[in-house]
Amino acid sequence: MKKFVSLLVCLTLLLGGLNFALAQEEDLDYEFNYSYDYGNTTPITNEEAEALAAGLFGLGIVGIVIAVIGLLIGLFFLIFWIIMLIDCFRRDFDNKGIWLAALIITFFIGWSWLAAILYYFLVKRKNLGSIGGSKPDVSESSDPKPPEPPKLPEPPKPPEPPVE
C-alpha cells in the first residue's frame, strides 16, 4: 500500500510538472499587417445592430454565470485543500512528510484539488474513527473486560403490620 500511495503522489507531481512545462509560451515573433483597408466596410442596419447587441449581452450573462460557478467551485476546492492540509499537519501516520510535500507543491502547480482528494480517500477516510487524527492503539485492547450487567433496583419492602 505504501508503494501505491508513493506512486500516486509521484504521478500527481509529474503530471503537474508536465502541465506547467506545457503551459510555457514559446517566444514567437508576431507581425501586424498594417495594409488593411478600413474604408471598404459596409454599414449595418439598426436591426442587425440590435441583434448583435442582444447576442453579445446574452453571451455576457452566460459568461458571468459560468465565471461565478467556476469561482464557487474553485473556492470550495481551496477550502477543502486547506482542511486536508490542516488534517495532514495534525494526524500522525506513515508517509506524513510525503503527503505534506505533495499537498504544498501541488498547490503551486495548480493540482491541489487532486492531491486533496487523493489525501482524503487514501489517508483521512481510512482513519475517520480516530480521535485527534492519531493511529488507534491496539496494545491497550489486548485483554478487554466484559461489560457488567446492569444492576436491578431492589424490590420494595413489604409494609409493616399495624401496631395496636
Side-chain angles (χ1 to χ4, degrees):
M1 184 66 175
K2 290 180 183 179
K3 290 183 180 180
F4 178 70
V5 171
S6 298
L7 178 67
L8 281 177
V9 171
C10 290
L11 185 62
T12 302
L13 294 174
L14 179 68
L15 287 175
L18 182 64
N19 184 25
F20 181 74
L22 292 177
Q24 300 299 318
E25 186 177 332
E26 295 180 13
D27 187 19
L28 299 175
D29 188 22
Y30 295 106
E31 292 184 19
F32 186 75
N33 185 3
Y34 293 101
S35 65
Y36 184 77
D37 185 14
Y38 291 99
N40 264 343
T41 58
T42 58
I44 60 173
T45 64
N46 285 340
E47 293 83 20
E48 292 173 337
E50 289 173 359
L52 180 62
L56 290 177
F57 179 74
L59 287 177
I61 296 293
V62 170
I64 290 172
V65 169
I66 290 173
V68 167
I69 290 172
L71 179 72
L72 291 175
I73 290 171
L75 187 64
F76 167 77
F77 277 117
L78 176 67
I79 292 170
F80 182 68
W81 175 80
I82 290 171
I83 292 170
M84 293 302 109
L85 187 66
I86 291 170
D87 183 76
C88 188
F89 274 120
R90 290 184 176 175
R91 190 178 296 269
D92 184 27
F93 64 98
D94 297 335
N95 297 333
K96 183 176 183 174
I98 293 174
W99 278 107
L100 278 173
L103 284 169
I104 293 170
I105 290 172
T106 56
F107 176 77
F108 290 107
I109 59 175
W111 287 68
S112 60
W113 58 272
L114 180 62
I117 290 173
L118 284 174
Y119 175 81
Y120 176 77
F121 284 109
L122 295 176
V123 177
K124 183 174 174 64
R125 192 161 181 203
K126 190 187 307 182
N127 297 326
L128 277 180
S130 60
I131 299 173
S134 61
K135 292 182 191 176
D137 192 10
V138 183
S139 63
E140 293 178 5
S141 63
S142 60
D143 189 24
K145 292 181 181 179
E148 295 182 18
K151 294 181 179 180
L152 298 174
E154 295 182 19
K157 294 181 181 180
E160 296 182 14
V163 179
E164 291 185 21

